[in-house]
Amino acid sequence: MQPMTAAPTARRAPADAGSPPEPVRSRPRTSRSGSQLGWPWPAAAIVLGVLGALWPIPTLILLVAVAAIVLAIVAPRATAGITALVVLFVRPIEHLVPVPQVGYLDEALVVLCLITMPLRRVVARQSLRTFPGQWWFAGFIVCGLLSALLLHVPVAIFLTGAFVISKGLLFGWAVAQIDWAEEHLVRAARIGGVLIVISLAAAVVNLMMPTAWNAILSSDTNATEARSFLPSLIGPFTHPIDFGQFMALSFIALTTWRAAVRKTPFTLVLLWGTALGVLGSARRTAAGGIVAAWLWVQAKLQSTAVLMALLACVPVAAVVLAAPLGQVVTTTYNDYLGNGNPEARTVLTRDSFAVAAAHFPGGAGFGRFGSAVAATNYSPEYVARGYPDIWGLGRTAEDGRFLTDTEWPAIIGETGFFGALAFALGLAGIYRAGVRLWRRSRSPLTRWVGLTASGWIVAGLVQSVATVTFTGPPTFALLFGIAGILAALSRTGDDDSASSDTRPPAVRRSALMRVVGR
């Protein structure tokens, strides 16, 4: 028998064996020296220096383009604001900077927004938003393109004309692809207040030194002549019409701000200042725009007391203002309808219906009637109607100064009756979106945007009777840019944006009070 032996005991490990072994530290990575890290920048500087010496203008354009693209990708809202600002003041910039290419600055920025802003949303795997009235506006563009193709308009002309007349629509659609919250509306309100103050200050200087100021900025000395007791101010613009348009839109924005957000002495001063600015511009379209929009706002607010007070003042106003108002009405009638040699604006409007009827169901096509492209390439439609012999509608820059004097002849003449109807229905879509946002939103700032957008459409329709409003500077970016913001703030343009701001109510109120509490 084998002797019994004790079972072998487990071997006890040393006291320090329970701790895991220290990890083997990897070999430290050698750091690159400053010369290794910094060499691309001096090389890029040398290359740019050589390119700048050989081709200075193209190199400068390249640098500006790269900087603009980076800005549009990193800060899209700032890019949209800069675009609206440039569109607002592109004519003074073009007047002061004697470089022909400066006049295309607004179109270049619109193209930048059109490319980068939707692209950012696609890269983020978000669906593209629709634009209020978008499909009606698309129908308008299709009518103009088909009309041009049927009448064999040169491709370069009708494509250029299509872009120029629809650049506001394209800008608005691009702005709709950006997410907007209350803090962004706060910044926009502050910047708008600064612009209003600067414009009013420039108008005061213009009033005090009209000759010197007009010599620097005015693009038309005849337009700055006083009308009765009104001085025809241009402010920081080149024409009284531009100044009157901006003052009218500012007046409406201030009116809706006081209705939707808060009433303060500062906004009251600015409100009266913009009203006086409209009066100082001596332009009937601007005055008619603010009257119509102000009455519309009061009706939306159901201000019965205000409306009744106005009705009570009508008899007194009729007695006091009968003479000056009668003079204005008589002058307007004689200028546009009453004499045997009607104004260029009347000729264009009348003939736009004749062109649409002649090319029914389409029009003359983009770039062929009433637009800037039609004036630059002097449309055969003008020659056929004897426009070279009508002062203001001729071939040269001086003789053809009124070829782009109004809005609707281009819309009706180039796209026909159906295209004009589609454009009008698109504007109605923006109006309805603004009213809907005003009624349904609980945020004062969001309601302000909705009411302002609708009020601007009302004023724009009045002004468009006798000036370019929706398709040219200085206001097209403001009118359609705010429509793009409407799409971002409401359900109308994006199925996955359930609210304009999903933050808690306390946070929303604090953001609001940062601007209205001062």
Side-chain angles (χ1 to χ4, degrees):
M1 292 181 64
Q2 294 290 338
M4 295 181 66
T5 58
T9 59
R11 187 175 180 180
R12 183 172 295 178
D16 58 349
S19 59
E22 294 184 2
V24 179
R25 182 175 297 175
S26 61
R27 186 176 180 181
R29 186 172 55 184
T30 58
S31 61
R32 296 182 180 180
S33 62
S35 60
Q36 290 176 317
L37 290 174
W39 71 266
W41 299 107
I46 292 173
V47 172
L48 288 175
V50 173
L51 293 176
L54 296 176
W55 304 286
I57 300 299
T59 304
L60 179 62
I61 294 175
L62 176 64
L63 288 175
V64 172
V66 171
I69 293 173
V70 172
L71 176 64
I73 294 174
V74 176
R77 298 174 196 86
T79 304
I82 292 172
T83 301
L85 193 64
V86 168
V87 171
L88 190 63
F89 293 106
V90 67
R91 286 173 178 166
I93 296 173
E94 184 180 9
H95 183 73
L96 295 174
V97 180
V99 178
Q101 290 76 13
V102 172
Y104 301 103
L105 187 58
D106 57 334
E107 283 93 351
L109 288 174
V110 169
V111 171
L112 176 67
C113 295
L114 184 62
I115 294 174
T116 58
M117 293 174 185
L119 183 61
R120 290 179 75 256
R121 196 165 178 85
V122 171
V123 170
R125 297 184 179 181
Q126 295 175 317
S127 60
L128 295 176
R129 292 190 177 104
T130 56
F131 179 69
Q134 171 176 310
W135 303 116
W136 290 116
F137 289 125
F140 158 76
I141 295 174
V142 168
C143 287
L145 292 176
L146 290 179
S147 299
L149 289 172
L150 291 174
L151 295 177
H152 306 290
V153 178
V155 176
I157 290 179
F158 78 74
L159 288 181
T160 304
F163 172 74
V164 170
I165 203 170
S166 62
K167 58 187 176 183
L169 307 175
L170 300 175
F171 175 69
W173 181 76
V175 171
Q177 312 312 315
I178 308 173
D179 294 327
W180 296 86
E182 287 190 349
E183 58 264 26
H184 307 131
L185 304 181
V186 168
R187 296 192 193 107
R190 288 175 175 171
I191 295 172
V194 172
L195 285 177
I196 293 172
V197 170
I198 293 174
S199 299
L200 290 176
V204 171
V205 178
N206 184 191
L207 182 63
M208 296 175 62
M209 301 185 301
T211 303
W213 188 267
N214 292 334
I216 298 174
L217 278 177
S218 176
S219 60
D220 187 355
T221 56
N222 295 324
T224 55
E225 295 179 354
R227 295 185 174 184
S228 183
F229 63 93
L230 301 176
S232 292
L233 300 177
I234 61 174
F237 298 91
T238 59
H239 199 283
I241 287 180
D242 295 350
F243 178 63
Q245 283 183 302
F246 179 63
M247 286 290 100
L249 297 186
S250 301
F251 176 88
I252 297 165
L254 288 165
T255 301
T256 54
W257 177 274
R258 290 171 59 82
V261 183
R262 189 178 180 182
K263 297 179 180 179
T264 62
F266 178 67
T267 57
L268 180 61
V269 171
L270 290 185
L271 184 69
W272 281 103
T274 53
L276 292 175
V278 169
L279 187 65
S281 69
R283 288 307 178 268
R284 291 161 288 194
T285 53
I290 67 168
V291 170
W294 186 83
L295 291 174
W296 174 84
V297 170
Q298 300 306 316
K300 285 297 175 184
L301 297 175
Q302 298 180 352
S303 302
T304 308
V306 175
L307 295 176
M308 292 301 295
L310 288 175
L311 290 176
C313 294
V314 167
V316 178
V319 174
V320 175
L321 301 177
L325 287 178
Q327 183 179 359
V328 170
V329 172
T330 301
T331 303
T332 303
Y333 177 79
N334 290 333
D335 287 343
Y336 297 110
L337 300 172
N339 54 29
N341 188 18
E343 291 277 344
R345 185 178 297 159
T346 305
V347 174
L348 281 173
T349 303
R350 179 192 62 202
D351 286 356
S352 66
F353 287 91
V355 170
H359 300 295
F360 186 82
F366 286 131
R368 281 310 195 206
F369 194 86
S371 62
V373 176
T376 302
N377 297 280
Y378 209 76
S379 171
E381 298 286 345
Y382 297 161
V383 177
R385 286 166 173 76
Y387 284 9
D389 299 326
I390 300 176
W391 184 84
L393 301 178
R395 293 177 178 273
T396 65
E398 179 63 24
D399 292 339
R401 63 170 65 187
F402 298 130
L403 284 171
T404 57
D405 195 39
T406 187
E407 182 73 76
W408 291 97
I411 296 173
I412 299 171
E414 292 188 344
T415 65
F417 297 121
F418 290 116
L421 178 61
F423 190 90
L425 291 174
L427 295 178
I430 297 175
Y431 172 85
R432 291 181 65 251
V435 172
R436 182 165 50 243
L437 193 64
W438 152 257
R439 289 176 176 173
R440 296 181 179 179
S441 177
R442 292 178 296 177
S443 166
L445 285 170
T446 305
R447 299 182 77 223
W448 168 63
V449 172
L451 193 61
T452 300
S454 299
W456 279 4
I457 292 296
V458 173
L461 287 172
V462 174
Q463 294 177 2
S464 66
V465 173
T467 185
V468 174
T469 304
F470 300 110
T471 60
T475 58
F476 77 82
L478 295 177
L479 292 170
F480 290 108
I482 197 172
I485 297 176
L486 281 178
L489 292 176
S490 62
R491 290 177 179 269
T492 59
D494 190 7
D495 294 337
D496 59 6
S497 60
S499 174
S500 61
D501 195 351
T502 59
R503 298 173 298 169
V507 179
R508 293 200 302 266
R509 285 194 297 268
S510 63
L512 174 62
M513 293 309 296
R514 280 200 299 270
V515 65
V516 302
R518 297 181 178 179

